[in-house]
């Protein structure tokens, strides 16, 4: 049974009421991108993601910090947070895979054995 909110929900969006993912790949002819969107897209698709590029910059900053004995606590904290987020994502993916394998075993043990490699 519809509620009065159903009429307004397509018009008004509360925080986190819709997709909360954000694509950060360059969009062709976007006013958000300075320079050449075609080059940006090529670099991201063929060379390295923004995360990979930023990771290299952070590594370089940490190497310079160590070489010059100049502490960069904000950079170190950022690197730790990134590594923690990566570890969390890997753990979640691992748990998701284990749950999927358990479901497969419950419904099709032969397929489960095949996927497990034996």
């Amino acid at each position: 049974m519809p509620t009065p909110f159903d009429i307004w929900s397509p018009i008004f969006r509360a925080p986190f009421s819709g997709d909360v993912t954000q694509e950060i790949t360059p969009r062709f002819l976007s006013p958000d991108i300075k320079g050449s969107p075609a080059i940006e897209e090529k670099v991201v698709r063929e060379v390295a993601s923004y995360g990979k590029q930023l990771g290299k910059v952070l590594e370089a900053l940490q190497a310079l910090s160590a070489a010059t004995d100049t502490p960069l606590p904000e950079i170190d904290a950022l690197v730790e947070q990134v590594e923690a987020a990566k570890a969390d994502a890997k753990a979640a993916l691992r748990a998701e895979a284990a749950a999927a394998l358990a479901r497969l075993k419950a419904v099709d043990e032969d397929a489960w054995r095949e996927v497990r490699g034996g």
Side-chain angles (χ1 to χ4, degrees), residues 2-80:
T3 66
F5 181 72
D6 294 335
I7 296 168
W8 297 104
S9 64
I11 299 169
F12 298 107
R13 289 288 196 178
F16 302 114
S17 64
D19 292 339
V20 291
T21 58
Q22 178 183 5
E23 184 178 340
I24 59 170
T25 56
R27 296 175 314 273
F28 188 65
L29 299 178
S30 169
D32 302 333
I33 297 174
K34 304 298 182 214
S36 171
I39 293 172
E40 290 291 328
E41 184 174 0
K42 184 172 180 61
V43 169
V44 169
R45 291 188 191 279
E46 298 178 16
V47 179
S49 68
Y50 292 127
K52 184 71 122 180
Q53 293 175 53
L54 289 172
K56 294 295 181 187
V57 171
L58 292 174
E59 285 176 17
L61 284 171
Q62 285 189 307
L64 282 170
S65 171
T68 62
D69 201 26
T70 304
L72 296 174
E74 290 178 358
I75 297 300
D76 294 336
L78 180 59
V79 169
E80 286 178 24

